[in-house]
Amino acid sequence: MKKARTVEEVSMDPAVQQLLTKARQEGVETAFDRADAHTACGFGATGVCCNHCLEGPCRIAPNGKGPQRGICGASLDTIVARNFLMKLTEGAAPHAEHGREVALALLEAAEGKAPYEIRDPQKLLRVADGLGIETHGREVNEIARAVALKALEDFQQQTGVLNWLRYRGQKKSVAKWEELGLLPVNAHLEIAQSVTRTAMGCDADPLNLLLGGLRMGLVDGYSGLHMSTDLQDILFGTPTAVKAEYNMGVLDAKKINIAVHGHLPLLSEKIVTWAKQLRHEALAAGSEGINLVGVCCTGNELLMRQGVPVATSFSSQELVIVSGVLEAMVVDVQCIMPGIQQVAECYHTEIITTLPYVKIPGANHVDFHPDNADEAAQAIVRRAIANYGKRNPDKVAIPTVKTEAYAGFSVEQIVGALSALNEQNPLAPLLDAIVSGQIRGVAAIVGCTNPREQQNVGNVAVARELLKHNVLVVATGCSAHSLAKHDLMNEKGLEYCGEGLRAVLKAVGNAVGMESLPPTLHMGSCVDNSRPADLLTTIADTLDVHIGQLPVVGTCPETHSPKALSIGTYFLAHGVDVHVGVSPQVKGSEWVTQTLTGDRTDEELNLDKLFGGKLIYETDPFLAAQKMLDRIDLKRRALGLSVASDAPQSEDTVEHL
Ligand code: NFS
Ligand code: SF4
């Protein structure tokens, strides 16, 4: 058995360190302990194990020893590419389901069957317009219904192209995908076809399988990210800048604490409402009120629109319970560790599942549908109130750690702030700064934390290094939690920024009455990766270039989730370079690896040649940042822009733009 890591080796977050120490003292096992106990299987870790039929599992040793084909004759490259496609499908499917769930809720709301209202009618009009829906002289609910039906078409139509791709895709990229025959028809059809092509005896061509992976990236991007964000903004409001608190110190021993965890804001928005309305019941139970805290991306959704504080990110989700003050953890879908139930059983916390397709043995279930949203939310809040009396004071220990951080940077908010500098042409100040080199490029830090990795270290180190070199950093998902907790979303983090970047952040901040914009801009949850994508589309269209020509990168230093891979693939399809700091499990095939990383020297196609962007796999955050800066400079040169004097001259070239 491997040696257990110390709490400092597990996380750089002092609150996580304190609670993990407490958990270990109380004999409570968490994901960090299980990560120490597990040894990764070398075959699985390199993608060479095939389990797609009952003849197998077949595994191919990449060192050439033993059988070199599966029993069916599948080659090493086929097996690795097929496994990779399966991962991308597992990433795209939950995001597409997210889009569909929200579309259904919008439809029911518009038809008066679900208790939601349209909080941003202006966005509704813009989205309807973009989708080619007539808005003139029509009622809000009538337009909302038409938008919802257009969204649902993207899960039903048998011919054509995803409506959301036609609407949100950059025209130049769409033309490229069309030329390659990659345009998805409907998300469900594509996902079913993807599962079919990975089934035994179907697609065996590694290149075709990887192209199938790109389709999954597009499905994730348009039926998952863009659709979810657009419809959620319509229903719950488009985020504006908000100051909120992060980390375990947001728990309140005097109040009834409810953690909302998962991804869909459909239920959690209602819990916000009912936590306020049932306050008198909480007071009657002897508490000082109800305190809602967020975990993972539900946390991000509520943070962005409601300023609800965030307790923690993915890898430390169980530790919120270890504080001993959590009356209930409500979960919907995605990134919910089944382990929360074992931890909850050591305290008084009730785990409440809410979707019929996401249950956990031992947890209680309150069935949620948009039409019973109010009843479900009330029932959940009342359960939490009832649990307050069961709290064991001997087990209560809340770390005092918390940080203030800004969030709420939707594209609308960013453009709004920029227009304080230039009302006629809001993007001009940003573009001028990029052209002059004051801002060297833009990076989106996305993705997760991972119990096998030292929590926050990769996310924070990559961010600091990029900031130092004047890269404007935006962030989403759990990586945004890492940055917020370590002062990269408040004024303190400005010390990490290079001079040029700091001057721009201050100038824009001053124009909107702040001392400065924060060093990194929180753009939301993982589905909100649509927001940086929209920003890039706007910038590229203004400059009349392809998104892939812009000096921009995406990076997920600490990911655990296939969703991060499918989001990354979406950006790769645009020609954006994407760094991943955790192995994407393709190393077993040199062919697959080099096709993705653009390192193949033969005349055949690779990602870089096809789209002008490639996968960068690098576990060391400093080297990763250096490689990203290198690519940023390469793209600056190709655009004829100045390059910082400290930039190394790369031997790399941009192949296909
Ligand atoms: Ni994204 Fe959000 Fe967090 Fe990772 Fe999971 S919560 S959808 S997958 S772990 S960022
Ligand atoms: Fe083995 Fe082929 Fe079956 Fe995979 S599909 S388990 S390689 S026989």
Side-chain angles (χ1 to χ4, degrees):
M1 181 149 148
K2 287 190 300 173
K3 198 169 153 282
R5 289 169 292 172
T6 63
V7 295
E8 289 81 13
E9 286 167 337
V10 158
S11 175
M12 70 186 275
D13 176 351
V16 168
Q17 293 170 4
Q18 284 174 37
L19 285 172
L20 184 57
T21 304
K22 179 174 187 280
R24 286 178 174 174
Q25 280 163 357
E26 292 174 349
V28 177
E29 184 191 81
T30 70
F32 296 114
D33 306 311
R34 292 187 293 273
D36 287 344
H38 275 271
T39 308
C41 159
F43 292 100
T46 50
V48 301
C49 177
C50 180
N51 204 3
H52 280 284
C53 85
L54 306 183
E55 295 163 52
C58 301
R59 51 192 210 181
I60 315 284
N63 62 7
K65 292 192 181 143
Q68 286 305 293
R69 283 182 181 270
I71 293 171
C72 65
S75 70
L76 178 73
D77 297 336
T78 299
I79 290 173
V80 173
R82 199 159 55 184
N83 285 339
F84 189 57
L85 173 57
M86 203 58 228
K87 279 224 168 45
L88 296 176
T89 312
E90 280 175 32
H95 275 160
E97 277 302 274
H98 185 145
R100 192 185 61 86
E101 295 264 16
V102 181
L104 274 179
L106 179 65
L107 180 65
E108 290 185 34
E111 292 178 344
K113 296 176 186 158
Y116 298 98
E117 61 198 34
I118 309 297
R119 287 205 197 134
D120 191 344
Q122 292 308 320
K123 181 131 190 181
L124 172 68
L125 291 181
R126 289 200 299 278
V127 171
D129 211 36
L131 290 164
I133 292 168
E134 178 59 54
T135 56
H136 189 71
R138 294 176 89 181
E139 294 285 331
V140 165
N141 277 344
E142 205 186 327
I143 301 168
R145 186 172 182 276
V147 167
L149 290 174
K150 266 277 189 242
L152 292 172
E153 249 177 47
D154 281 359
F155 298 91
Q156 292 157 342
Q157 64 189 11
Q158 296 303 308
T159 54
V161 176
L162 293 177
N163 293 319
W164 245 263
L165 185 145
R166 284 279 183 230
Y167 165 33
R168 286 293 191 184
Q170 197 213 5
K171 302 289 168 283
K172 289 180 195 284
S173 296
V174 176
K176 179 87 203 172
W177 304 328
E178 189 153 30
E179 183 192 318
L180 292 168
L182 292 178
L183 292 178
V185 179
N186 107 33
H188 281 176
L189 177 156
E190 300 296 341
I191 290 164
Q193 207 159 70
S194 194
V195 174
T196 304
R197 70 200 299 172
T198 57
M200 191 273 159
C202 294
D203 203 352
D205 178 347
L207 182 60
N208 208 35
L209 286 159
L210 291 187
L211 289 171
L214 286 161
R215 285 176 92 96
M216 282 300 101
L218 296 180
V219 166
D220 191 324
Y222 294 104
S223 303
L225 316 185
H226 285 282
M227 184 185 290
S228 302
T229 302
D230 283 334
L231 302 186
Q232 288 174 178
D233 282 356
I234 289 170
L235 273 176
F236 303 117
T238 302
T240 52
V242 60
K243 198 173 197 177
E245 289 180 321
Y246 269 84
N247 220 338
M248 303 288 190
V250 303
L251 293 161
D252 188 338
K254 295 186 180 139
K255 292 186 177 165
I256 289 164
N257 293 287
I258 305 176
V260 282
H261 174 18
H263 284 78
L264 294 168
L266 296 173
L267 172 63
S268 50
E269 281 276 345
K270 284 290 181 190
I271 292 182
V272 174
T273 306
W274 284 101
K276 284 182 196 146
Q277 300 213 12
L278 297 179
R279 184 164 182 272
H280 60 285
E281 292 186 23
L283 296 179
S287 77
E288 290 187 4
I290 298 176
N291 182 39
L292 271 190
V293 301
V295 177
C296 284
C297 279
T298 293
N300 282 322
E301 298 285 358
L302 292 188
L303 166 79
M304 292 284 285
R305 296 192 183 87
Q306 308 282 356
V308 169
V310 173
T312 207
S313 70
F314 174 78
S315 59
S316 44
Q317 57 185 270
E318 294 156 306
L319 292 175
V320 190
I321 304 168
V322 175
S323 68
V325 294
L326 200 61
E327 274 60 52
M329 182 179 262
V330 192
V331 303
D332 48 47
V333 63
Q334 299 173 42
C335 297
I336 298 148
M337 290 190 191
I340 53 175
Q341 179 59 28
Q342 274 69 56
V343 177
E345 283 167 14
C346 303
Y347 302 89
H348 73 299
T349 309
E350 181 176 348
I351 304 293
I352 304 172
T353 56
T354 55
L355 294 177
Y357 55 93
V358 184
K359 293 194 178 180
I360 300 174
N364 288 321
H365 188 80
V366 173
D367 222 21
F368 165 80
H369 304 282
D371 61 355
N372 80 343
D374 282 319
E375 292 77 8
Q378 278 180 70
I380 287 166
V381 173
R382 289 209 166 100
R383 275 174 178 271
I385 295 172
N387 289 333
Y388 179 62
K390 299 179 195 157
R391 201 188 273 181
N392 178 352
D394 297 338
K395 287 196 169 179
V396 170
I398 304 175
T400 50
V401 187
K402 64 178 167 187
T403 321
E404 278 199 333
Y406 288 97
F409 291 96
S410 57
V411 176
E412 291 85 343
Q413 172 66 84
I414 292 174
V415 172
L418 287 169
S419 64
L421 286 175
N422 184 335
E423 209 182 327
Q424 299 305 316
N425 187 0
L427 278 185
L430 178 62
L431 295 179
D432 291 348
I434 293 174
V435 168
S436 73
Q438 230 183 342
I439 289 180
R440 187 155 164 180
V442 182
I445 302 193
V446 311
C448 325
T449 55
N450 177 334
R452 279 188 193 268
E453 306 290 315
Q454 190 180 6
Q455 190 188 33
N456 304 337
V457 169
N459 290 331
V460 169
V462 164
R464 284 182 187 164
E465 198 61 18
L466 292 173
L467 291 174
K468 187 167 103 190
H469 292 282
N470 295 309
V471 174
L472 176 69
V473 174
V474 302
T476 57
C478 290
S479 64
H481 300 193
S482 300
L483 306 188
K485 284 194 283 189
H486 296 283
D487 284 327
L488 290 174
M489 290 186 175
N490 63 33
E491 293 83 0
K492 284 188 205 155
L494 289 170
E495 64 170 291
Y496 297 103
C497 300
E499 240 172 75
L501 175 64
R502 193 163 44 220
V504 175
L505 294 172
K506 285 200 165 163
V508 183
N510 287 340
V512 291
M514 296 166 73
E515 190 193 318
S516 168
L517 286 186
T520 65
L521 304 181
H522 193 328
M523 295 192 86
S525 64
C526 274
V527 293
D528 287 334
N529 280 308
S530 56
R531 299 191 199 275
D534 285 338
L535 187 62
L536 295 186
T537 301
T538 312
I539 294 175
D541 284 347
T542 309
L543 298 174
D544 193 27
V545 297
H546 194 293
I547 286 178
Q549 287 174 272
L550 298 174
V552 300
V553 291
T555 161
C556 39
E558 294 180 43
T559 190
H560 81 99
S561 173
K563 288 178 284 173
L565 290 181
S566 52
I567 295 171
T569 307
Y570 163 71
F571 282 99
L572 284 167
H574 286 84
V576 175
D577 295 300
V578 173
H579 159 250
V580 53
V582 177
S583 166
Q585 303 180 346
V586 294
K587 221 168 126 197
S589 161
E590 201 176 85
W591 186 92
V592 172
T593 305
Q594 293 186 350
T595 302
L596 295 173
T597 57
D599 292 332
R600 283 175 60 207
T601 47
D602 59 29
E603 284 310 301
E604 283 188 67
L605 290 179
N606 64 44
L607 261 192
D608 204 9
K609 282 185 183 167
L610 263 184
F611 300 103
K614 62 181 186 175
L615 186 74
I616 300 166
Y617 168 48
E618 176 56 65
T619 54
D620 180 307
F622 298 98
L623 291 177
Q626 206 36 254
K627 288 179 184 176
M628 286 185 266
L629 288 168
D630 210 17
R631 292 289 290 186
I632 283 174
D633 289 341
L634 186 74
K635 295 200 173 177
R636 288 188 68 90
R637 282 194 192 94
L639 283 174
L641 302 180
S642 64
V643 168
S645 53
D646 64 339
Q649 188 69 38
S650 169
E651 286 174 15
D652 227 349
T653 51
V654 183
E655 288 284 357
H656 189 95
L657 290 173

